[in-house]
Amino acid sequence: MIIERIQLHLIELPLAHPFETSFGRELTRLCILVSMQSQGATGWGESAAFGGPWYSYETIDTNWHVMEDYLAPMLLGEDIRSPGDVVARFRPVRGHPMARSAMENAAWDLLATADSLPLVTMLPGSVRDRVPVGVSVGIEETVPELLEVVSGFVSEGYRRLKLKIKPGWDIVPVRAVRERWPDYLLQVDANSAYSLDDIETLRALDEFELLLIEQPLHHDDIVDHALLQQQIETAICLDESIHSPMHARWALDLGACRNVNIKVGRVGGLSAAIEIHDLCLARGVPVWCGGMLETNVGRAANVALATLPTFTLPGDISASARYYKEDIAEPNFELNGDSTISLPDGPGLGVTVDVRRLEALRLRHLELC
């Protein structure tokens, strides 16, 4: 199909609850949504970039620039018959995976919607119609406040907890949660806040029988993570260090991790995410799907990806209400009683963007044709 029109929509949504990590505290979520039209059908994609270069060098502004000036012109007027056609056209572009992901995923949705098929039917080897999920818990002011927040999520039915940690907020809060919920699946995420100088602190986490410790060291590191994994019992999971399938292969070859967090936006789109999944499947390495405070547009893509077979660890997808009181697309994702999220059964991503709400929330808009 010929790509006739691409639109960029910048919106800002208030989070249901403040979310703090080792690199900052979020109260709202700036978000770029991409809509792509052809022959009366529309596909949607979402950029995972934040307002500032904290998680990644990519930002809302760099994504907007790259999509407007480079990526959209590579697709407009082109005959796109598969997601692979998008990947091929974007091959000259170095970096900017979140911008590429938003565009590529919109094409996935467009192609599936045009054929009136759920997007998941385009994924090779999907094995489930609901995916295991947990919840990511940000840094709180005090341990009692943390326990109160965690208690709420436990009451909602989440069976896996992920605690954000940083130097000075690690052993004490993790111990408090583990003592309160001794049988819960528990993991931690450092967002690159530590170095090898913190080996004693990181080794001390072994006593809590964690599923994994996510990205303890530098955001681009693989080598030091391999050294650290040799010195601690807890499985290391890499997140920020895995920018592509090649990075995933390097990490596994060096023994830098025992698990991989696959984030669609971070690796450049569904095609790269599937390639990393297949590599890990061949190596017997469990993976899970991380979250980036997505709206239901991005969350729908995450749920579809997590239906693949080696996504055996609970992901950070979570219910829509965990993030936003009112999302931009419907239906909302709800937590099932077995701590899973069900795959929507509509065409494409399975969610419908509320265009009126989108226009009311829109801070910037660009139409390219």
Side-chain angles (χ1 to χ4, degrees):
M1 57 175 52
I2 305 299
I3 304 302
E4 301 165 354
R5 181 178 291 103
I6 295 174
Q7 297 186 61
L8 307 182
H9 316 263
L10 174 63
I11 63 173
E12 185 172 20
L13 285 172
L15 293 170
H17 309 281
F19 192 74
E20 183 172 340
T21 68
S22 63
F23 49 76
R25 186 175 179 86
E26 300 283 340
L27 301 176
T28 65
R29 181 67 161 111
L30 285 167
C31 171
I32 299 175
L33 295 179
V34 175
S35 56
M36 188 176 293
Q37 286 91 31
S38 178
Q39 301 173 9
T42 300
W44 290 89
E46 177 174 345
S47 163
F50 289 95
W54 320 129
Y55 173 84
S56 161
Y57 68 85
E58 289 187 89
T59 69
I60 290 293
D61 289 334
T62 66
N63 267 212
W64 191 281
H65 160 57
V66 169
M67 287 193 281
E68 176 184 1
D69 295 331
Y70 298 100
L71 302 183
M74 290 178 172
L75 297 181
L76 284 168
E78 296 294 322
D79 186 9
I80 300 299
R81 302 187 180 188
S82 73
D85 292 338
V86 178
V87 174
R89 283 165 174 77
F90 288 172
R91 193 161 286 125
V93 178
R94 296 190 181 186
H96 305 285
M98 294 181 184
R100 288 188 284 112
S101 175
M103 286 284 184
E104 184 198 318
N105 291 357
W108 277 84
D109 186 33
L110 175 63
L111 290 163
T113 299
D115 287 339
S116 299
L117 295 172
L119 183 148
V120 72
T121 62
M122 299 170 62
L123 302 183
S126 175
V127 296
R128 55 181 72 93
D129 61 5
R130 55 176 58 194
V131 301
V133 301
V135 64
S136 180
V137 182
I139 294 169
E140 298 293 331
E141 291 291 331
T142 67
V143 170
E145 288 176 287
L146 173 67
L147 295 177
E148 182 178 355
V149 170
V150 170
S151 180
F153 289 130
V154 170
S155 298
E156 289 177 21
Y158 288 101
R159 297 180 184 175
R160 191 229 66 188
L161 304 169
K162 183 175 88 172
L163 305 181
K164 295 287 186 177
I165 61 171
K166 64 180 180 179
W169 181 267
D170 38 46
I171 304 302
V172 172
V174 174
R175 176 178 286 114
V177 171
R178 176 51 84 208
E179 289 178 349
R180 180 81 172 269
W181 292 280
D183 299 323
Y184 253 70
L185 297 177
L186 182 63
Q187 63 193 62
V188 297
D189 182 8
N191 289 116
S192 309
Y194 297 84
S195 73
L196 287 178
D197 292 337
D198 300 304
I199 183 65
E200 294 305 321
T201 297
L202 297 172
R203 187 181 289 126
L205 292 169
D206 285 340
E207 72 170 283
F208 302 117
E209 298 181 347
L210 303 175
L211 280 175
L212 55 90
I213 175 170
E214 185 179 352
Q215 198 70 36
L217 306 181
H218 190 272
H219 63 273
D220 270 340
D221 172 74
I222 292 175
V223 174
D224 282 354
H225 277 105
L227 295 175
L228 176 62
Q229 185 65 92
Q230 295 171 12
Q231 300 178 67
I232 64 174
E233 296 177 7
T234 305
I236 290 175
C237 173
L238 290 185
D239 175 3
E240 289 95 323
S241 295
I242 308 300
H243 307 290
S244 68
M246 185 174 293
H247 287 87
R249 179 174 61 81
W250 292 339
L252 297 182
D253 285 350
L254 289 174
C257 61
R258 297 178 191 159
N259 308 124
V260 176
N261 175 354
I262 303 180
K263 289 179 177 174
V264 178
R266 192 195 66 240
V267 302
L270 281 167
S271 296
I274 293 167
E275 190 174 344
I276 294 173
H277 164 273
D278 292 349
L279 170 69
C280 292
L281 180 63
R283 299 283 188 96
V285 174
V287 303
W288 55 287
C289 185
M292 296 284 285
L293 306 181
E294 291 97 342
T295 71
N296 283 341
V297 173
R299 189 168 298 109
N302 290 345
V303 172
L305 178 69
T307 64
L308 297 180
T310 205
F311 281 91
T312 55
L313 296 171
D316 280 346
I317 299 167
S318 303
S320 304
R322 161 70 181 96
Y323 300 103
Y324 303 107
K325 292 182 179 178
E326 186 176 3
D327 206 286
I328 198 68
E330 297 178 340
N332 280 328
F333 292 87
E334 306 286 347
L335 185 69
N336 298 319
D338 59 352
S339 194
T340 63
I341 296 286
S342 294
L343 187 73
D345 56 9
L349 288 170
V351 297
T352 302
V353 172
D354 185 334
V355 176
R356 288 189 178 181
R357 177 161 166 75
L358 175 72
E359 292 173 348
L361 290 170
R362 203 161 54 193
L363 304 177
R364 195 190 313 175
H365 175 231
L366 178 66
E367 182 171 338
L368 299 165
C369 55

